[in-house]
Amino acid sequence: MKTFNEKALKKDLLINAKALGIPSGAARTFADKIVKNVSKTLKNKKIITESDLNRAVLKELNVYNADLAYVYENRDKII
Amino acid sequence: MVALIQGTLQLAPGVFAYFYHYAIGKHSFKKAHLLSPFFILGIIFTNALIFVTVASLITDSEILRAVMAGIFVALAVVGGVFYYRQGSGSRLYTPRKLASALLSGARNASSAHEAFLLGIVTGFSEVLFTVPLAIMVVLQVRTFESPIIQVGLISLDVFLTIVPFIVIAIMFRTGGNLADIERMRVRNKGFYRLMLCFLFLLLAAGLYNFGII
């Protein structure tokens, strides 16, 4: 089970976006949209697993930036 | 050849790339460039410590060389079969708790001493491979009488060990990012696995047949 924290997700996305060289204005705009859409997707679920959250975030990220989606998807698979 | 094997190991470069990525994301390019040498210093410190420990404990003998040949065959199997976990990404044999701790350390390191300590811990996480290789280097270096040559050879090995980190740092400085580096690592997974297996077997065969590489 995972607690969905909008602020933490947005912060994580912005850190990764900055590291990937995505302009901060664009990053802020799509981070807001992603957090909003993920919240909407997960709103009706009583219990959210980590993979539910990852799947929802990845679905949104793939729309905006392929590199960011790749880093998010593989962040725990690097070593 | 030992340096080539060390260059093929993926744990420390993976942690370094992750650390560099988060240092840029949480701070700035400048801070990442300033902190990264401390991580590399930590790796060098660990290697130096392993060399000194091995050199003070190991005495060359026929039995030791036979045991080392056996260990290298075992490491060839480990490197070829178990080094990477199954599935996507470049997950390694490392216990998951250790991997999580290293990644968490890489995400949160924000000062020179934290980067240095992360380098040390990362260096020690690969002792399964690095200690036998250090024993091999010490055995070979001892065949030279001049201390200058001995120190020179060990320094050369240490330098070659840090080449992957320099390459990663250059990639970041020239506009590359973690996604590019990770894609490259995943694409070459099979090659690294094959190289590890082949080089360890070559080391074992050389040690067994000739007593010297």
Side-chain angles (χ1 to χ4, degrees), chain A residues 3-16 28 31-32 34-36 38-39 53 72:
Chain A
T3 312
F4 175 50
N5 183 335
E6 291 185 7
K7 271 187 185 169
L9 175 62
K10 189 178 168 185
K11 192 180 167 193
D12 194 28
L13 290 175
L14 289 176
I15 287 171
N16 281 298
R28 247 185 226 106
D32 282 334
I34 289 168
V35 170
K36 197 176 151 194
V38 169
S39 304
L53 179 61
Y72 190 86

Side-chain angles (χ1 to χ4, degrees), chain A residues 11 15-16 18-19, chain B residues 21-28 104 106-110:
Chain A
K11 192 180 167 193
I15 287 171
N16 281 298
K18 185 180 171 191
Chain B
H21 172 82
Y22 270 93
I24 296 169
K26 282 190 164 176
H27 308 288
S28 63
S104 165
R107 260 195 306 268
N108 297 316
S110 58

